[in-house]
């Protein structure tokens, strides 16, 4: 029901929910699905999820969990096995030293983010959100009645810097939300800069929510940075939102976690205990068992990562050849973010018009940048087959030529 029909029916919804907009990325994907259902041969480049299936051994662990009867409520923070496995994995893979009270299982990265913002930020406070942003960030901030203060990162090629953060902080600033590797830009903040950003915030008493949902998706593989490795005095200000969705191709399983100080974690658990309680018990078990074998996890991710890298290396130079398309080589995630402002004018006033025309005339679905705070840009996901990318590139080039 939209806001107007709700008002006609006299339902007085809360101010906070009416301030929240629906997800624009889901809308684009739904439109592509509708056209496909109507029989059109749509090439869907809107997808924000891996086109790979979950690795078989993780599925086997889920079955094992079911057979063992791990089918009941778990603690709100997740099975102890889950929390211990996250700690061991972060220790072995990244050298982090985490305590059990700092880990909480959540229903995907989204719930982790929602818990973090809702427990920390009050109505009227300011939250720094680098632009372009992932669509959900400003909506969570709206939902709590706080103010989004956007930091435009175009000048620094979409890589947030500590200087930009320092300039944006005021006495009203409570939190910075930062996402690297980034959706929608694919850019990765270098480890040293990320550390400086967190230091800058911590020195001023500003908290940092680091969305590490695409953590391992960095090209070339190996150069990964997680804020979980920072020293205790910095980590006091940090909440890491982690997720199994993208890196382990598990979007439908709905599992993620937070890594935050014990006090912050307690508050997040209080909130979660009155909402979802915890992610599915045998899903937690499967993840825990899988994390116990980092080498196997790394092999599984490595295979997917090599394919994403191959697609990226094909796609970006091809897009760069298309007149009016400007895009840099992304270092992470699985998106190309393309500046199409040169193509805008009388015919297409906004990038959304271009996205619509491309979909309706060539059946190539892309995502408009406006939902990410970047009108004039489009996002192209390469979480799809090479064959689809080749066909899409040809169709886009023909569309632009026309
Ligand atoms: C930047 C970013 N953060 C968080 C999420 C949430 O993922 P999930 O809730 O599936 O873990 C997504 C999903 O698209 C994302 O792109």
């Amino acid at each position: 029901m939209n806001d107007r029909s709700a008002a006609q029916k006299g339902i007085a919804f809360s101010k906070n929910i009416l301030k929240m907009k629906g997800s624009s990325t889901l809308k684009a994907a739904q439109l592509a699905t509708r056209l496909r259902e109507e029989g059109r041969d749509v090439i869907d480049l809107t997808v924000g999820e891996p086109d790979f299936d979950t690795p078989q051994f993780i599925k086997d662990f889920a079955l094992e969990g079911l057979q063992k009867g791990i089918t009941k409520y778990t603690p709100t923070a997740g099975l102890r096995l889950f929390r211990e496995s996250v700690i061991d994995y972060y220790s072995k893979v990244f050298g982090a030293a985490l305590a059990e009270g700092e880990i909480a299982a959540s229903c995907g990265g989204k719930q982790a983010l929602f818990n973090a913002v809702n427990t920390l930020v009050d109505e009227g406070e300011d939250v720094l959100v680098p632009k372009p942003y992932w669509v959900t960030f400003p909506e969570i901030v709206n939902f709590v009645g706080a103010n989004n203060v956007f930091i435009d990162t175009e000048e620094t090629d979409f890589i947030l810097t500590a200087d930009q953060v320092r300039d944006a902080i005021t006495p009203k600033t409570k939190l910075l939300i930062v996402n690297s590797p980034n959706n929608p830009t694919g850019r990765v903040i270098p480890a040293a800069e990320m550390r400086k950003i967190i230091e800058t915030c911590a020195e001023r008493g500003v908290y940092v929510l680091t969305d590490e949902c695409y953590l391992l998706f960095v090209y070339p593989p190996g150069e990964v940075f997680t804020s979980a490795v920072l020293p205790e005095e910095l980590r006091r200000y940090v909440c890491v939102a982690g997720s199994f969705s993208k890196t382990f191709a598990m979007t439908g399983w709905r599992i993620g976690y937070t890594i935050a100080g014990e006090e912050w974690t307690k508050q997040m658990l209080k909130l979660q205990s009155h909402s979802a309680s915890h992610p599915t018990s045998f899903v937690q078990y499967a993840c825990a068992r899988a994390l116990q074998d980092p080498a196997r996890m790394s092999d599984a991710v490595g295979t997917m990562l090599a394919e994403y890298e191959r697609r990226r290396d094909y796609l970006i130079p091809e897009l760069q050849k298309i007149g009016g398309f400007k895009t840099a080589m992304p270092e992470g995630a699985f998106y190309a973010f393309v500046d199409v402002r040169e193509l805008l004018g009388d015919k297409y006033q906004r990038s959304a018009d271009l996205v619509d025309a491309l979909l309706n005339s060539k059946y190539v679905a892309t995502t408009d940048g406006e939902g990410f705070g970047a009108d004039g840009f489009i996002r192209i996901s390469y979480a799809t087959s090479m064959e689809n990318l080749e066909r899409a590139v040809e169709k886009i080039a023909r569309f632009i030529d026309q």
Side-chain angles (χ1 to χ4, degrees):
M1 191 182 295
N2 61 28
D3 293 356
R4 193 191 293 164
S5 56
Q8 279 164 357
K9 288 200 161 40
I11 305 175
F13 289 112
S14 71
K15 311 196 275 307
N16 286 352
I17 195 62
L18 292 179
K19 264 190 261 165
M20 204 183 220
K21 283 190 258 146
S23 166
S24 57
T25 47
L26 291 184
K27 247 188 267 163
Q30 278 158 5
L31 189 59
T33 307
R34 208 190 66 212
L35 283 170
R36 200 178 297 117
E37 280 165 4
E38 286 170 7
R40 308 289 179 198
D41 175 20
V42 177
I43 307 176
D44 190 354
L45 307 179
T46 67
V47 272
E49 69 178 346
D51 55 319
F52 298 100
D53 195 2
T54 305
Q56 185 58 43
F57 69 97
I58 306 183
K59 292 186 190 178
D60 291 341
F61 282 134
L63 291 174
E64 186 180 295
L66 278 169
Q67 252 134 21
K68 280 176 160 237
I70 303 176
T71 55
K72 300 285 163 48
Y73 288 134
T74 74
T76 307
L79 295 166
R80 167 162 277 177
L81 183 74
F82 177 85
R83 282 171 283 154
E84 285 171 354
S85 299
V86 170
I87 293 169
D88 285 352
Y89 180 83
Y90 270 77
S91 160
K92 285 186 191 136
V93 177
F94 306 115
L98 304 172
E100 214 178 297
E102 295 177 316
I103 313 294
S106 61
C107 303
K110 261 188 191 165
Q111 191 181 30
L113 296 163
F114 199 81
N115 286 347
V117 177
N118 271 272
T119 49
L120 191 82
V121 181
D122 262 324
E123 206 172 324
E125 288 182 320
D126 287 353
V127 178
L128 301 180
V129 179
K131 208 163 94 161
Y133 43 74
W134 181 50
V135 289
T136 293
F137 298 152
E139 300 308 332
I140 307 179
V141 174
N142 283 336
F143 185 72
V144 299
N147 310 311
N148 285 292
V149 175
F150 298 114
I151 303 178
D152 199 326
T153 59
E154 188 174 354
E155 222 177 55
T156 48
D157 295 330
F158 300 136
I159 296 183
L160 181 72
T161 66
D163 287 345
Q164 288 168 333
V165 173
R166 190 186 324 100
D167 291 347
I169 290 175
T170 73
K172 272 178 74 187
T173 310
K174 185 66 171 282
L175 175 73
L176 162 72
I177 307 180
V178 56
N179 168 225
S180 173
N182 187 273
N183 175 9
T185 65
R187 305 312 307 263
V188 176
I189 301 172
E193 194 64 32
M194 188 65 143
R195 204 189 154 102
K196 256 168 70 188
I197 290 170
I198 293 172
E199 280 167 357
T200 302
C201 287
E203 276 161 18
R204 291 159 181 79
V206 172
Y207 293 82
V208 186
L209 174 53
T210 64
D211 179 344
E212 299 185 357
C213 182
Y214 294 90
L215 179 65
L216 303 180
F217 282 3
V218 173
Y219 317 105
E223 292 166 15
V224 169
F225 174 76
T226 168
S227 305
V229 299
L230 292 172
E232 183 78 39
E233 66 273 16
L234 287 179
R235 276 205 303 110
R236 266 175 23 81
Y237 289 92
V238 175
C239 175
V240 173
S243 172
F244 287 77
S245 288
K246 317 281 177 172
T247 27
F248 303 115
M250 296 178 71
T251 46
W253 297 60
R254 308 312 302 137
I255 185 155
Y257 50 91
T258 46
I259 302 172
E262 297 201 1
E263 290 309 310
W264 197 350
T265 300
K266 271 190 205 148
Q267 298 299 334
M268 291 194 280
L269 290 175
K270 191 164 75 186
L271 176 64
Q272 189 167 293
S273 74
H274 291 296
S275 56
S277 288
H278 57 76
T280 305
S281 50
F282 52 88
V283 167
Q284 291 181 41
Y285 177 82
C287 291
R289 297 280 283 117
L291 288 181
Q292 285 170 346
D293 194 345
R296 201 174 188 186
M297 285 301 249
S298 158
D299 272 359
V301 176
T303 309
M304 295 189 264
L305 208 53
E307 178 57 20
Y308 288 132
E309 193 175 7
R310 194 171 79 91
R311 294 172 190 174
R312 177 196 74 150
D313 291 349
Y314 161 75
L315 180 67
I316 308 304
E318 289 300 320
L319 292 176
Q320 287 167 339
K321 284 183 210 157
I322 297 175
F325 270 35
K326 278 201 203 136
T327 190
M329 192 60 120
E331 303 93 358
F334 41 57
Y335 307 106
F337 202 53
V338 186
D339 180 351
V340 294
R341 284 174 296 191
E342 255 181 33
L343 297 169
L344 303 184
D346 288 343
K347 193 162 179 198
Y348 307 114
Q349 287 173 2
R350 296 160 57 207
S351 44
D353 303 330
L354 195 76
V355 165
D356 283 349
L358 187 58
L359 181 58
N360 290 319
S361 73
K362 295 284 179 230
Y363 302 114
V364 176
T366 55
T367 307
D368 175 39
E370 198 180 328
F372 307 111
D375 184 17
F377 287 76
I378 62 175
R379 188 191 74 175
I380 294 180
S381 161
Y382 49 92
T384 187
S385 69
M386 195 67 157
E387 188 202 336
N388 274 347
L389 292 177
E390 284 166 0
R391 286 173 58 224
V393 161
E394 200 196 308
K395 285 178 181 235
I396 298 172
R398 228 179 311 133
F399 169 78
I400 298 296
D401 274 353
Q402 281 165 7

